[in-house]
Amino acid sequence: MTQNTSNAASNTNQSDRAGQEHHGYGSVKRNLKTRHISMIALGGCIGTGLFMTSGSTISTAGPGGGLLAYIAMGVMVYFLMTSLGELATHLPVSGSFAAYSARYVDPALGFAMGWDYWLNWTISGAVDISTAALLIQYWLPHTPGWIWSLLVLVIVFLINALTVSAFGETEFWLSLIKVATIIVFLVIGMAMICGIMFQPAVGLKNFTYKDAPFVGGFPAIMSVFLIAGYSFQGTEVVGVTAGESENPGKAVPKAINDVFWRILLFYVLSIFVIAALIPYTSPNLLGASDGNIAMSPFTLVFQRAGLASAASVMNAVVLTSILSAVNTGAYASSRMLYGLAKDHYAPAIFARTTKRGIPLAALVATVCMSLATFASSIFGQSFYMWLVTATGLTGFIAWIGIALSHFRFRRAFKLQGHDLSELKYHSKLYPLGPVLAMVLCVIVIAGQDIPSLLSLNWSHMAMTYFSVVLVLVLYLGFKFVNHTKIVRLKDMDVSGAESAR
């Protein structure tokens, strides 16, 4: 009885304790509104993966293979996000899954996950500002690209250096542009398929064209799973925003429950429309993968509908997607570094914030790292490409950390006598959800470079699986220096109060 009373009191005061970050100088502020977080979740994984490379999935595995891959990965990510939702509403902190890995698995794992994720976002930022320059040069071909890259980086830095609400508002409108574009695309595409506005009706003949709907067998479908998985990466940023949400208990579940199904709907319907209107044998479907905006499946469909300026319009939309990705990356990585510093896994200066609640030192370090990576692309293209390839699996590693943390948290929560009614949000189909996520992520990571594994091509394997090696090195190195152990379930802190370490 005493234990239950104590648990109830702990749960009652949980939001106060977990929300102490917003009081005073040296902490972040909870100024992200529910609409900000919902739109960040919605727009977080709608980007170039959908607008540019989605056509290659149909070209590789056929319309059926493309749809199957996106549906399967979408369902897996949904379960994963409900796991993150349960953790983020119970313990809303900026360190997100790195903090959860440290508390619910092993401090060494939290250290490794946090630094690997930070490195990934800083390198991704460099890639994105390079891409932004190429998109701007579509209109201004005779201008130097590095000027536009620097301009994008400066704009994103200023947005993130103001207030967290400035970041949230920017993401809200950038995401809204992407969502509006997809809705228009779906309306026009369905009209063309059904013959409502455009004659004659296209129908579904491309789903049975030649070897369709499934092309290339299991290896082709497996490779498409990888592309689909990359397309959904970025959804985990919702967990990072929980640390600065006005009401994480309401905002995070709403973002996950309401928004994710819309994302899955957008992806599946978009792939369906593209597959119906463009045969899988079309060479144009692969052209967009090389950055040719005129070959984007969205551009091709709009052009067939009679929109003469389709390429220019889609170039502008993809540019907003890139700006959104850079903006989100700067936010997520700076907050991850801030969370690492608060847990004493990074220099203490990164835990300091301005009076407006911005971890400025962490933001500056993040931008400088992105700038250094970008500079390497100018002075050494081979090293730059190695960096980009080497960090490619970080998102899947982060997902494994989320699933593992939730699996162990729930086991410890029950073992210590707590009732699930104490949790503000419950994940779906536990333990199936986190177990499925872990298994699929391991399969996707292992299947990233099967030819190199079979031929024992060590140089290729080292590049492809560098993220895995880096996490192992960070994990084992931290354990060796600090002698950490895997947290026992009975000793685990499941109170929902932020650690006072």
Side-chain angles (χ1 to χ4, degrees), residues 395-412:
F396 295 103
I397 295 171
W399 288 354
I400 291 176
I402 292 169
L404 180 60
S405 297
H406 176 239
F407 181 76
R408 300 195 80 244
F409 163 76
R410 181 69 82 84
R411 289 182 63 199

Side-chain angles (χ1 to χ4, degrees), residues 56-102:
S56 66
T57 65
I58 298 168
S59 178
T60 302
L67 280 170
L68 176 63
Y70 275 99
I71 291 173
M73 291 302 295
V75 170
M76 184 274 283
V77 173
Y78 172 69
F79 286 133
L80 186 78
M81 296 312 294
T82 65
S83 291
L84 180 58
E86 183 170 299
L87 295 173
T89 52
H90 185 65
L91 182 64
V93 292
S94 294
S96 190
F97 51 86
Y100 306 143
S101 296

Side-chain angles (χ1 to χ4, degrees), residues 155-440:
I155 291 173
V156 166
F157 173 79
L158 292 176
I159 291 171
N160 280 269
L162 292 173
T163 61
V164 70
S165 56
F167 159 77
E169 201 65 30
T170 302
E171 274 305 294
F172 178 85
W173 291 106
L174 289 176
S175 296
L176 194 61
I177 292 172
K178 293 187 285 187
V179 171
T181 302
I182 295 174
I183 292 175
V184 171
F185 171 79
L186 292 177
V187 170
I188 292 176
M190 294 303 291
M192 293 173 70
I193 293 171
C194 300
I196 297 174
M197 296 169 57
F198 306 90
Q199 298 293 337
V202 176
L204 302 178
K205 59 184 180 181
N206 284 328
F207 277 87
T208 55
Y209 178 69
K210 290 189 176 181
D211 294 333
F214 297 99
V215 178
F218 178 77
I221 295 176
M222 183 64 195
S223 67
V224 171
F225 266 77
L226 302 177
I227 299 173
Y230 281 121
S231 297
F232 282 107
Q233 287 188 13
T235 51
E236 71 281 347
V237 174
V238 177
V240 181
T241 64
E244 291 170 271
S245 169
E246 284 184 344
N247 186 354
K250 174 185 176 183
V252 175
K254 183 179 188 303
I256 291 172
N257 284 336
D258 296 344
V259 177
F260 183 78
W261 287 111
R262 298 178 207 168
I263 292 175
L264 183 58
L265 192 65
F266 284 157
Y267 266 99
V268 172
L269 280 183
S270 294
I271 297 296
F272 173 80
V273 168
I274 294 168
L277 296 178
I278 306 174
Y280 77 90
T281 54
S282 172
N284 294 335
L285 290 177
L286 288 174
S289 301
D290 297 324
N292 187 348
I293 193 68
M295 296 296 102
S296 164
F298 281 67
T299 302
L300 295 172
V301 170
F302 282 139
Q303 285 176 337
R304 292 189 182 188
L307 182 60
S309 57
S312 188
V313 170
M314 281 309 303
N315 195 68
V317 171
V318 174
L319 180 59
T320 63
S321 296
I322 293 295
L323 291 174
S324 175
V326 178
N327 196 38
T328 300
Y331 171 81
S333 51
S334 62
R335 274 19 177 221
M336 183 60 71
L337 188 54
Y338 165 79
L340 286 168
K342 287 196 68 178
D343 287 337
H344 309 296
Y345 299 150
I349 189 174
F350 297 129
R352 292 183 61 82
T353 65
T354 65
K355 292 181 179 179
R356 293 179 177 177
I358 302 297
L360 192 59
L363 178 62
V364 169
T366 296
V367 171
C368 286
M369 184 63 181
S370 292
L371 191 59
T373 305
F374 172 70
S376 73
S377 71
I378 300 175
F379 300 110
Q381 189 68 25
S382 59
F383 177 69
Y384 173 70
M385 293 308 299
W386 182 86
L387 280 176
V388 173
T389 305
T391 57
L393 294 175
T394 300
F396 295 103
I397 295 171
W399 288 354
I400 291 176
I402 292 169
L404 180 60
S405 297
H406 176 239
F407 181 76
R408 300 195 80 244
F409 163 76
R410 181 69 82 84
R411 289 182 63 199
F413 197 76
K414 293 288 289 183
L415 180 67
Q416 295 181 25
H418 292 274
D419 191 89
L420 292 183
S421 61
E422 298 174 40
L423 298 174
K424 294 181 180 180
Y425 175 79
H426 298 159
S427 68
K428 304 298 186 290
L429 298 182
Y430 177 89
L432 175 63
V435 171
L436 176 66
M438 283 188 282
V439 170
L440 279 182

Side-chain angles (χ1 to χ4, degrees), residues 7-66:
N7 291 341
S10 173
N11 191 55
T12 302
N13 295 322
Q14 170 190 323
S15 61
D16 291 334
R17 290 195 302 268
Q20 286 174 354
E21 287 185 342
H22 78 285
H23 293 298
Y25 177 73
S27 56
V28 295
K29 295 182 181 294
R30 294 192 179 276
N31 290 334
L32 284 179
K33 301 181 184 302
T34 299
R35 68 180 179 89
H36 290 152
I37 293 178
S38 292
M39 197 57 79
I40 289 170
L42 181 57
C45 68
I46 298 177
T48 54
L50 178 60
F51 292 129
M52 299 295 287
T53 60
S54 56
S56 66
T57 65
I58 298 168
S59 178
T60 302

